[in-house]
Structures are given as C-alpha cells and as structure tokens.
Amino acid sequence: MQDGARPHRTEQAFRFLDEYFGNRVIALEYTKFTGAGMDWPPYSPDLTSCDYFLWGTLKDIVYPKHPATLDELESAICVACESISVETLRNVMANFILHLRHLCCANGEHFENIVM
C-alpha cells in the first residue's frame, strides 16, 4: 500500500488469494467473500511489545545520529538494539504479561482507560 491507499478488498482480489493460499489467508473481510480463512484480528498496538516500546525507543536512539546511508542506518540500529538493557526488556515483558491479564479479565474487549 502506498500514499494512504486502502488495501485491495474486492471479491476479485480475495478470489485470487483464495486460489493461491486457500484457508491460510488472514485479511479484513476475507471470510465475507470466501467463507474460508480467518478474519483480520482487531488492531491492538498495546498487545505488541514492538509497537508500544521497541520502535519508539529505537527511533529515539537512531534518528538523532542522522544516518546518511543504508549501512549507517543498519549499524545504528544494531548499536541501538545492543544498548537496550536486559532489565528494560524484562520490564517490557512484565508489562506485556500484565496487558494480557487485563485483556483476559475484559474477555477480549477494549480496556483503554487502564494506564500502565
């Protein structure tokens, strides 16, 4: 997808996916057209540690260095990853487990008013 374009969700696109991938497709409204596959799961960025922690942290470490080439960017990302302490990663995982517990208590419903 590019420039904010919506994903292809036409019956023709889904038939194509169904022909090549069968019931292994996970896509928004896919089951509506084919009766197979899985519905796209609800978007929940706070259930993905990389979304709510890692990417932002890496950006904060890498971008101030203004890498000019792809090699410099790759090197800066590697250095940034190595700079994250084990204790920080433990805290991230503990917080992730806490989020999962809240999700279970809410029976999979939203719990956006909880601040961690």
Side-chain angles (χ1 to χ4, degrees):
M1 294 186 304
Q2 190 173 349
D3 299 327
R6 296 191 42 93
H8 298 291
R9 294 194 327 234
T10 64
E11 185 171 359
Q12 183 180 6
F14 288 143
R15 296 284 176 218
F16 174 82
L17 292 172
D18 190 52
E19 181 181 336
Y20 286 94
F21 300 106
N23 65 353
R24 295 177 294 163
V25 176
I26 301 173
L28 186 64
E29 297 179 357
Y30 181 75
T31 58
K32 176 177 146 184
F33 287 101
T34 64
M38 294 177 58
D39 281 329
W40 190 261
Y43 180 67
S44 186
D46 42 322
L47 292 179
T48 306
S49 301
C50 289
D51 283 345
Y52 79 86
F53 166 74
L54 184 61
W55 305 140
T57 299
L58 290 178
K59 286 179 189 178
D60 291 344
I61 297 170
V62 172
Y63 284 175
K65 297 176 182 174
H66 304 288
T69 67
L70 197 53
D71 287 337
E72 288 177 10
L73 177 61
E74 183 178 351
S75 176
I77 291 170
C78 289
V79 169
C81 287
E82 291 170 1
S83 74
I84 299 172
S85 72
V86 172
E87 184 62 28
T88 297
L89 295 175
R90 281 190 186 117
N91 290 338
V92 168
M93 293 314 300
N95 197 7
F96 177 66
I97 290 167
L98 185 59
H99 273 83
L100 291 176
R101 288 184 178 144
H102 283 291
L103 178 67
C104 290
C105 289
N107 291 322
E109 300 293 325
H110 291 283
F111 52 92
E112 58 195 53
N113 293 329
I114 296 175
V115 177
M116 299 290 155

